[in-house]
């Protein structure tokens, strides 16, 4: 029996939101883009194959649209709390782009409300779907007991609209791009972060940070060093994971992975990953098959909690701060 396409509502169609829209329109025949929400609805949705898509200026109106059965949120994180509340009340599953929220308090509220209502909530930590990262995780057994993890993320400075940092609660690189690294610590090691030490070049809310150095310690004893920065040019995305029996070195920009053991080594190269598409597919599969979300709201909450501890540490000049796990 042929099932009609699942109706999707997309809230946020900026640069990143349009990536989601294109995949929904052209790569996912089992779903249908029924509505989008944007600040200026008069702009419509100028994408091939986008007709007829209802364009709203109010997220609540989109959520209440009976044609919308699942919701994707690609907005600045200061807006996700209220959007999530409305979606939960409407009993509609939702996928929220990272970071889940601009603060741990908001993220906790979102997770608690969705859990209590039994509404599926997924965090779009898209880097988890990168082929190099996935293969690094699969081969983690090659290094033996985890001891150290170094993660580097340098991304080009981009032109932003005035007030861009306001959408992140006046926070910068750590919450906007570094949240991927905070999530990777848990994803790769399988361990919760217990303590952080962090320094930044600027202190929000005075100014958003652009350079971050953080030391994280997991409950299993893995010492993690994170180097996060906005740079003029020269994107870097790399990881080195060291254990008792060797190390794994990954570069997800060039899509290479190398294992160095005590007496041998091996290298692999991978094809480019469409991480947004993979994220969408995983979310929709979980919705349609009524399975648990592959990246939960709790996963998103954990990353924001670690970020929160990093900001508190930076305020004290890099003093050790315990991560406050809220739920």
């Amino acid at each position: 029996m042929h099932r009609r396409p699942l109706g999707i509502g997309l809230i946020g169609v900026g640069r990143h939101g349009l990536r989601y829209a294109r995949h929904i329109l052209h790569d996912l025949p089992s779903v249908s883009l029924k509505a989008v929400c944007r600040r200026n609805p008069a702009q419509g949705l100028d994408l091939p194959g986008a007709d007829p898509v209802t364009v709203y200026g109010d997220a609540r109106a989109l959520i209440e649209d009976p044609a919308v059965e699942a919701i994707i949120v690609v907005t600045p994180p200061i807006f996700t709390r209220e959007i999530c509340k409305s979606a939960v009340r409407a009993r509609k599953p939702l996928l929220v782009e990272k970071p889940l929220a601009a603060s741990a308090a908001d993220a906790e509220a979102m997770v608690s409300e969705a859990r209590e209502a039994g509404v599926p909530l997924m965090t779009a930590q898209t880097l988890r779907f990168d082929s190099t990262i996935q293969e690094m995780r699969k081969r983690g057994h090659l290094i033996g007991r985890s001891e150290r993890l170094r993660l580097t993320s340098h991304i080009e400075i981009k032109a932003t609209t005035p007030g861009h940092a306001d959408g992140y609660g006046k926070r910068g690189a750590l919450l906007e791009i570094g949240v991927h690294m905070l999530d990777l610590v848990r994803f790769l090691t399988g361990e919760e972060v217990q303590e952080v030490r962090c320094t930044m070049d600027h202190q929000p809310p005075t100014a958003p940070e652009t350079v971050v150095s953080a030391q994280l310690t997991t409950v299993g004893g893995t010492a993690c060093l994170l180097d996060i920065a906005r740079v003029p040019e020269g994107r870097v995305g790399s990881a080195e994971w060291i254990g008792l029996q060797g190390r794994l070195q990954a570069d997800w920009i060039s899509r290479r992975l190398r294992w160095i053991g005590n007496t041998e080594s091996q290298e692999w190269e991978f094809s480019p990953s469409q991480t947004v598409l993979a994220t969408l597919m995983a979310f929709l599969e979980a919705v349609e098959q009524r399975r648990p979300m592959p990246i939960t709201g709790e996963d998103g909450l954990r990353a924001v909690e670690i970020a929160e501890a990093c900001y508190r540490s930076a305020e004290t000049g890099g003093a050790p701060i315990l991560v406050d796990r809220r739920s």
Side-chain angles (χ1 to χ4, degrees):
M1 183 176 182
H2 180 70
R3 187 190 185 285
R4 62 179 176 80
L6 185 74
I8 301 296
L10 174 63
I11 302 176
V13 285
R15 182 187 307 174
H16 196 45
L18 285 173
R19 294 185 184 124
Y20 280 85
R22 292 187 184 99
H23 284 309
I24 295 167
L25 289 169
H26 305 303
D27 301 317
L28 297 167
S30 66
V31 302
S32 175
L33 184 62
K34 295 296 186 181
V36 300
C37 179
R38 66 187 314 166
R39 291 179 181 175
N40 184 0
Q43 289 181 291
L45 184 64
D46 187 17
L47 285 177
D51 294 328
V53 173
T54 304
V55 181
Y56 291 100
D58 180 359
R60 287 171 297 183
L62 178 146
I63 292 167
E64 292 168 3
D65 187 330
V68 172
E69 299 168 274
I71 296 160
I72 297 164
V73 183
V74 193
T75 68
I78 61 166
F79 301 117
T80 58
R81 168 74 179 88
E82 291 303 316
I83 292 171
C84 181
K85 182 187 293 186
S86 297
V88 166
R89 287 176 178 169
R91 296 292 195 274
K92 296 185 179 182
L94 70 163
L95 170 67
V96 180
E97 247 296 334
K98 60 80 193 165
L100 183 63
S103 71
D106 281 354
E108 179 191 17
M110 293 165 66
V111 169
S112 296
E113 290 168 2
R115 183 194 300 129
E116 290 170 6
V119 173
L121 170 61
M122 177 172 167
T123 308
Q125 294 284 172
T126 54
L127 192 57
R128 287 195 184 198
F129 291 99
D130 180 88
S131 56
T132 307
I133 293 298
Q134 291 203 335
E135 293 298 328
M136 187 180 206
R137 186 175 187 239
K138 288 178 184 177
R139 291 172 168 82
H141 65 280
L142 295 173
I143 68 170
R145 186 171 67 82
S146 176
E147 292 188 325
R148 299 189 301 281
L149 176 63
R150 180 189 295 269
L151 297 170
T152 302
S153 178
H154 293 176
I155 295 183
E156 298 88 348
I157 297 168
K158 64 179 181 181
T160 57
T161 58
H164 173 80
D166 293 345
Y168 288 81
K170 298 190 181 298
R171 292 172 169 177
L174 178 65
L175 196 61
E176 188 173 0
I177 62 176
V179 73
H180 276 307
M181 306 302 101
L182 304 180
D183 180 67
L184 281 188
V185 170
R186 298 179 63 249
F187 183 63
L188 291 173
T189 68
E191 302 170 356
E192 296 294 344
V193 175
Q194 179 173 268
E195 182 183 274
V196 308
R197 296 171 182 259
C198 182
T199 58
M200 303 175 179
D201 61 340
H202 301 296
Q203 292 294 319
T206 304
E209 75 283 0
T210 61
V211 178
V212 179
S213 178
Q215 300 175 50
L216 281 55
T217 304
T218 71
V219 294
T222 302
C224 309
L225 181 61
L226 278 57
D227 176 7
I228 300 157
R230 285 285 189 186
V231 295
E233 59 181 15
R235 179 172 295 203
V236 177
S238 65
E240 182 175 39
W241 191 10
I242 302 170
L244 281 176
Q245 299 174 18
R247 68 183 64 202
L248 284 164
Q249 298 172 329
D251 184 326
W252 59 86
I253 305 299
S254 62
R255 304 181 302 279
R256 296 175 182 271
L257 178 64
R258 185 184 187 198
W259 166 60
I260 304 170
N262 294 329
T263 60
E264 57 183 320
S265 63
Q266 192 171 355
E267 294 187 16
W268 301 270
E269 293 186 17
F270 305 103
S271 301
S273 302
Q274 295 193 67
T275 57
V276 170
L277 177 58
T279 301
L280 273 169
M281 292 173 64
F283 169 68
L284 295 169
E285 181 179 342
V287 170
E288 291 169 347
Q289 298 185 11
R290 300 181 182 274
R291 286 165 34 186
M293 289 291 145
I295 308 174
T296 63
E298 286 84 353
D299 289 323
L301 169 59
R302 295 288 170 261
V304 179
E305 287 171 340
I306 300 166
E308 200 88 63
C310 287
Y311 285 112
R312 294 204 307 272
S313 176
E315 289 171 359
T316 61
I321 298 290
L322 294 177
V323 176
D324 180 14
R325 292 187 57 185
R326 295 169 175 257
S327 64

